[in-house]
Structure formats: structure tokens, C-alpha cells
Amino acid sequence: MVNVDVRSLTQPVGIIRIMAAILTCMCFSLAGAEGVISSSYWAWCMFTWCFCFFFTFLIVILEFTTVHSKVPFAWDDFTTAFAMLASLMCLIVSIIYPTFFTCKTCHRAIGAAVVSWVCFAAYAGEVVLTRLYPRGETSGFLSTLPGIMKMLETFFACLIFVSLDGSQYTGNSGIQWCVAVYSLCFIFSIIIILLTLAQLTSYLPISFDKVVIVYNILAAVMYTTAMVIWPLYSFSNNKQRPPNCGHFCPWDKLVVVTFMTIFNFIVYTLDTMYSIRLVFCIMNRED
């Protein structure tokens, strides 16, 4: 039997979630009314607002109907992690959208950009509330430092995929290796997140923590090669920005991929160091 919890809508976190759902709906409505733009960055902005709206609305409904108490994973961990991810996604979109898609006469686009910044503030406020006043006594994987770093790794990989252009790596073995690195690391990071979130790690015949350490080391090494190979092959013929390069210039996308590769290398390196310290230092000390 499904009960109704009105308090979930009247407490501060519930009010912020309702506001965030309304604001994200306003963002993609204003941007859509301005017109469809053939750009991967525009598609990413629309995806971000729709993604945040859908899951925020879903969280509100599940908590209002108390169905969230029957889900097979740590609910507070999921909602806190989603708020962190949504705040990061809205922050990036709030920078990308006004940079590429607004002008002095684009009133709807300007409105979407302004509301997007308010969305970021709403999700950041939810993170502050859930972190300062946690409802659960224990933290799940996604709201811990290793979980946050795993989300960052997948998020930076998504920005890389958005910035990739098929013509950039067709017939280029060096660039194709970099794309393979981005894809493989993204897939395995998603698998680790899903296995941990579903609490299936204890059913594996080997130590999951040590497998994650090996994966993090391999990912860091692979990203090291990509960090060297990508700019070496991408900027071999055009080391400087073309003078006629506009907002959608392919050269700018190459720069974005370069920086996201560096950021992901740093995150994977930190993730590896923390995992090794956690497994071989802290756990052995407790034993």
C-alpha cells in the first residue's frame, strides 16, 4: 500500500527540489522556443536540463508517495549524489550556453542562461542541506570521496564525447587510441558505480576493492598516454587558433578535449592514490 508523505514537500529540501524541477523545465522550454541549433553543445545543454528535471521530479514523486523506502539501494546516498551531479552539470551548462548561444537580441536564450544559474544555485543549496543535515547515519558509496571521483570521471568523459567530431579521428590511429581510452574508462567506471550502487560487490568471487585499484592504475596509465597523444596528433597541423574560428570552431573542441583529458588524468590519479591508501593502509591498520 502506498502512503502519502506531505512533509517531504514542505521541508526545505523538498521545496528546493520542487523549485529545481520548475526551473529546469523553464530552461529547456526557453531554449527550445529560441530554436533548435545543430550543435553537440546545444544538445548537451538540453540533455542536462531534461535529465535534471526528470530525476528531480521522479525523486519528489517517490518521496511523496513513500515508494522510495522500497527501492533496493541506499536512497539518501542516491539523492545526495544526484544533487552533486546536477549542480556540476548545471554549472557547466550555465557557462557553455551563454558563451555559445546568447546574443543581445536573443531574449529567450538570455532568460534560459539566467534561469540555469538559478538552477545551479538550487542544486548547490540542496547539496549543502543534505551534507550539513544528513538524514542517514551512514554514507553510501556515491556520497563518499571515491564515489564522487567516479562520478567526476564519467562526467568529464561525457564532456569529451560531446566535444568529439567524427572527422577528427577518422583514419588517425593515434586519435582512435585516445577515443578508445575515453570509451573503455567510461564504460568500466559506469559498471563500478552500478555494481556498488546495487550492492552486488559482495557476490563477486574476488576482492572488488583490489579490482578497482588495478582498474584505476590502468585507467591512469591509459589517460597518461592519451594526455600526450591527443594534443600531439590533434594540433599537428594547426597549432594556433585559426583567425576565422567562430563559436563552433573545431579547434576549440580540440582544446576542450585536451583539458578534459588532463582533468580526468588528475582525477584517476587521485582516485588511485586514495584507493591504495584506503585498502592497504587504513583497512590493514584496522585488522
Side-chain angles (χ1 to χ4, degrees), residues 4 39 84 177 214-215 251:
V4 173
S39 167
M84 293 179 183
W177 163 252
V214 173
Y215 160 71
W251 194 90

Side-chain angles (χ1 to χ4, degrees), residues 193-239:
I193 291 175
L194 293 177
L195 288 176
T196 310
L197 185 62
Q199 300 177 354
L200 298 175
T201 57
S202 59
Y203 297 99
L204 298 178
I206 53 179
S207 174
F208 183 74
D209 293 332
K210 293 181 180 179
V211 170
V212 171
I213 290 177
V214 173
Y215 160 71
N216 287 337
I217 294 174
L218 291 175
V221 172
M222 292 170 69
Y223 261 93
T224 302
T225 63
M227 190 171 56
V228 175
I229 293 175
W230 177 266
L232 185 64
Y233 279 84
S234 299
F235 300 101
S236 58
N237 297 324
N238 48 353
K239 292 182 172 58

